[in-house]
Amino acid sequence: MLYINGEWKKSNSGETIDIFNPATGELISSVASGGKTETEEAIYAAEGAFKKWRKVPGPKRGKYLKKVASIMKSKVNEIAETITMEMGKPLADAKGEVLGAIAYVEWYGEEASRVYGDILPASHPDKQLTVHRQPVGVTAAITPWNFPASMITRKIAPAIAAGCTVVLKPAPSTPLSAIKVFECFHEAELPAGVVNLVIGPAEEIGDVMTESPVVRKLTFTGSTAVGKLLLKKSAATVKKVSMELGGHAPFLVFEDADIDTAVTGVLLTKFKNAGQTCISTNRIYVHESIAESFGQKLSEKVSELRVGNGMEKGTDVGPLITPEAVNKVESHVKDAVANEGKILCGGNRTGEKGNFFEPTVINFANEKMKISKEETFGPVAPIFTFTDEEEVINLANHDSYGLAAYCFTNDLGRSNRLIQDLEYGIVGVNDPAPIVPQAPFGGVKESGMGKEGGRSGILEYLEEKFVSVASLKREE
Ligand code: ADP
C-alpha cells in the first residue's frame, strides 16, 4: 500500500509489484506500485502539511517522535520478521536493526527541542544580528534495501524533528518493511501529509522528485552511480542534498594489535548482513609478521559461520539480495583466484535454492584483483599484507571512496597518526561497531556528502536565515 496524506491507498493504475524471499525464492506479497501521479499527490500533500508542521513547536514535534518510538518498540518482532522475510538477514540481526531504527527516532525526538539559533556581535551599537534555523521544506527521501527500516528512520526522524515534511521512496525489493514503519507513523497520529510513502519504479518516482521545485531537499542512500545521477538531476532546481553512497572499507591490523579482537572485528564488519553494507570491510591489511596466524584464525572462525534462512535459529549469514548479487560475488572470487589468490575457506555458491554464497576468506590478495577496488557487497574477506605504516596508509586510502575505515593497534602514537591520515568519514580504532545515533555518519570523496545522526544530522534539514535589525537614530 502507498501512504499519502494520512491515508493508505492502492495505486491509481491498480498495478502491483511482487516481493520475493531471497532465502527461498518464494513470492511473499504483492504491493501497490505507484508512479508519477502518486508521487505528485504525495508531494502536494507534503507541501500542504509543511505549512502547519513547520509551526508546530519543536518539543511537540519531539513528542510525536517519542510516540512513534514507543509504538515501534511494541512491534519489534513483527518489523524484524518482515525485514528477514524480504531481505534475508538473520532474525536476531533484524531485531538489532529495528532497535537501531528506534534509537534514531528517540534521539531526534529529543533533538527536536534543541534547534537553536545564534546571536552575532554586531558592528554597530544599534544593530542586532541573529541567525535563525528553519526547516528546509518538503523533503524527498530515497532508501536502499540493506537496512530497510533503519535507513528510513535515520532520514525521517531528523527531517520531521526539524519541521520538514517527507515523501519517501523505499527500494522496490523491500517495501514491506517501509510499510511496517509507516504503520507506526500512522498509529502515532502524525498530521496528514507529514510523512508519505510512494512505492514503485525508481526512475519514474525519482524524476518527479528531482524535477519538482516544491521539493527543497533530497536525501539519498544507495550506490555512488545513482547518487551522481540524482545530484545532476537535483541541480536543475538547486536542491539541498545529502548523499550516503558506496564505500570500500579498509581494515588494518598492526603487529601490536590483539589478533583475536581483530578477528572478531572482521566477523562483525565483513559477515554481518552477508557483507551487504556500505561500511562492510572490503580490504583486510595485515602486517606481514602476523599474516599467517591471522589468516588461520580468521578462516577457522569463518568456517564456523552458519549460512541459511534468516528465520532459522542459529543462522549467522543469510542470503544475498538477488541472484545477480551472487553472480557478482562469484565473479570477484574467480577473478581473485585467477590473480593468484588462495581460498582459505568457502569460495562457492551454496544451498539448493535461495541466493546463498559461502563465507569466504582469500589469502594473498593484491592490487590487480577487482576486489581491491570494487565493492563486493558479499561475504568475501580478502587478506592483503603490508610491511610498514606509511605504506599501508597509502594503500588504505582509496582513489574514490571514503566512508569507513577500521584499524587495530595498541600503539597510541600510531593510532593518532591513523586518525589524522585515513581519508574516511568514519574511523573505528579497535572498534568494529562505530555507528551510534549521536554521531555523524557519512563519507568523504565519492562516498557522499552530508551526515546522518547526531547534531549534524538535523542540520541537514535546516537552513540558516540571517537577520539584521537596525534601530538607528535619525541624524537631526
Ligand atoms: P543498490 O545497488 O544498493 O540497490 P541503488 O543505488 O540502485 O543501490 O538503489 C538505492 C535506491 O535508489 C533504491 O531505492 C532504488 O530504487 C533507488 N534508485 C535507483 N535508481 C534510481 C533512479 N534513477 N532514480 C531514483 N531512485 C533510484
Side-chain angles (χ1 to χ4, degrees):
M1 297 289 266
L2 315 179
Y3 185 71
I4 299 174
N5 206 21
E7 282 176 16
W8 294 102
K9 55 171 279 175
K10 292 185 178 154
S11 61
N12 296 336
S13 64
E15 270 179 49
T16 56
I17 41 173
D18 294 338
I19 311 302
F20 297 92
N21 182 334
T24 60
E26 284 160 9
L27 178 72
I28 322 170
S29 178
S30 294
V31 291
S33 172
K36 186 169 186 287
T37 54
E38 292 84 350
T39 311
E40 285 167 349
E41 285 167 30
I43 292 172
Y44 184 71
E47 184 184 20
F50 178 63
K51 294 189 178 91
K52 287 189 187 154
W53 185 246
R54 68 193 290 268
K55 297 206 169 145
V56 172
K60 194 164 173 202
R61 290 199 296 259
K63 271 196 186 152
Y64 277 108
L65 280 166
K66 287 174 199 167
K67 197 166 167 197
V68 171
S70 103
I71 294 165
M72 284 182 81
K73 276 186 191 161
S74 70
K75 298 182 181 213
V76 171
N77 289 341
E78 188 183 327
I79 304 173
E81 278 168 19
T82 306
I83 293 174
T84 299
M85 292 283 282
E86 70 177 349
M87 67 70 63
K89 75 177 61 165
L91 191 57
D93 295 344
K95 284 185 190 164
E97 177 184 338
V98 181
L99 295 177
I102 295 169
Y104 280 87
V105 179
E106 285 184 324
W107 204 84
Y108 283 109
E110 300 286 340
E111 200 64 2
S113 301
R114 301 187 192 116
V115 177
Y116 305 128
D118 302 315
I119 301 172
L120 311 181
S123 316
H124 191 285
D126 293 322
K127 278 198 180 188
Q128 201 175 57
L129 312 183
T130 49
V131 177
H132 299 237
R133 294 206 165 79
Q134 298 190 320
V136 179
V138 173
T139 295
I142 300 180
T143 50
W145 48 265
N146 57 350
F147 289 88
S150 64
M151 291 292 155
I152 294 175
T153 62
R154 266 163 61 150
K155 295 185 185 310
I156 291 188
I160 63 178
C164 295
T165 54
V166 183
V167 178
L168 176 93
K169 189 202 89 60
S173 46
T174 56
L176 301 174
S177 306
I179 291 172
K180 287 282 167 210
V181 174
F182 269 71
E183 282 171 5
C184 301
F185 290 131
H186 184 66
E187 273 185 46
E189 295 173 331
L190 275 174
V194 170
V195 293
N196 303 274
L197 171 66
V198 187
I199 298 161
E203 202 173 335
E204 185 176 335
I205 296 174
D207 281 353
V208 178
M209 288 173 157
T210 47
E211 281 163 21
S212 166
V214 173
V215 173
R216 294 309 320 146
K217 162 89 192 178
L218 174 74
T219 170
F220 170 75
T221 299
S223 61
T224 296
V226 173
K228 287 180 180 175
L229 186 75
L230 293 173
L231 266 174
K232 266 192 207 155
K233 291 186 175 178
S234 298
T237 47
V238 195
K239 295 190 200 314
K240 190 172 164 85
V241 287
S242 317
M243 297 271 151
E244 302 291 349
L245 308 177
H248 206 272
F251 189 108
L252 280 49
V253 189
F254 289 89
E255 62 276 28
D256 50 55
D258 181 305
I259 295 192
D260 292 331
T261 310
V263 165
T264 308
V266 174
L267 294 180
L268 286 172
T269 60
K270 178 74 260 183
F271 297 99
K272 280 277 171 201
N273 225 23
Q276 304 171 109
T277 84
C278 46
I279 56 166
S280 284
T281 289
N282 278 271
R283 293 165 287 150
I284 305 166
Y285 293 106
V286 184
H287 190 264
E288 58 188 5
S289 63
I290 54 166
E292 200 179 328
S293 66
F294 183 89
Q296 210 172 358
K297 283 188 175 187
L298 179 64
S299 51
E300 270 167 27
K301 291 282 180 200
V302 171
S303 313
E304 288 166 13
L305 294 175
R306 245 173 80 184
V307 180
N309 187 324
M311 293 303 275
E312 283 162 18
K313 238 185 166 172
T315 296
D316 299 302
V317 179
L320 299 181
I321 188 74
T322 53
E324 293 74 32
V326 180
N327 293 342
K328 181 176 183 191
V329 171
E330 189 177 51
S331 79
H332 275 198
V333 171
K334 284 192 172 152
D335 170 78
V337 171
N339 282 293
E340 291 150 33
K342 185 181 166 214
I343 293 179
L344 293 183
C345 67
N348 297 299
R349 292 162 182 265
T350 179
E352 281 163 23
K353 53 186 179 175
N355 311 324
F356 294 100
F357 200 89
E358 291 172 343
T360 301
V361 179
I362 296 177
N363 216 356
F364 308 122
N366 59 61
E367 299 293 304
K368 283 179 282 175
M369 297 175 178
K370 278 187 192 164
I371 211 165
S372 73
K373 296 265 182 305
E374 295 174 20
E375 252 186 310
T376 307
F377 241 60
V380 182
I383 302 178
F384 301 72
T385 55
F386 69 91
T387 313
D388 68 59
E389 186 183 305
E390 204 182 326
E391 173 204 3
V392 76
I393 291 174
N394 286 333
L395 288 167
N397 288 334
H398 195 273
D399 305 343
S400 53
Y401 289 128
L403 188 53
Y406 308 94
C407 41
F408 283 70
T409 175
N410 282 321
D411 178 330
L412 189 59
R414 170 171 282 154
S415 147
N416 283 338
R417 291 189 292 278
L418 292 163
I419 293 168
Q420 293 282 331
D421 295 342
L422 287 170
E423 296 165 359
Y424 287 84
I426 302 159
V427 176
V429 180
N430 297 326
D431 184 2
I435 310 308
V436 284
Q438 65 270 36
F441 177 106
V444 297
K445 298 182 184 166
E446 293 182 23
S447 286
M449 56 177 70
K451 302 290 175 192
E452 285 185 345
R455 172 144 174 78
S456 326
I458 198 164
L459 293 177
E460 297 289 333
Y461 299 94
L462 293 164
E463 56 197 357
E464 292 186 342
K465 179 183 283 176
F466 168 61
V467 179
S468 176
V469 180
S471 53
L472 302 180
K473 286 193 194 110
R474 269 219 186 110
E475 298 278 329
E476 289 296 318

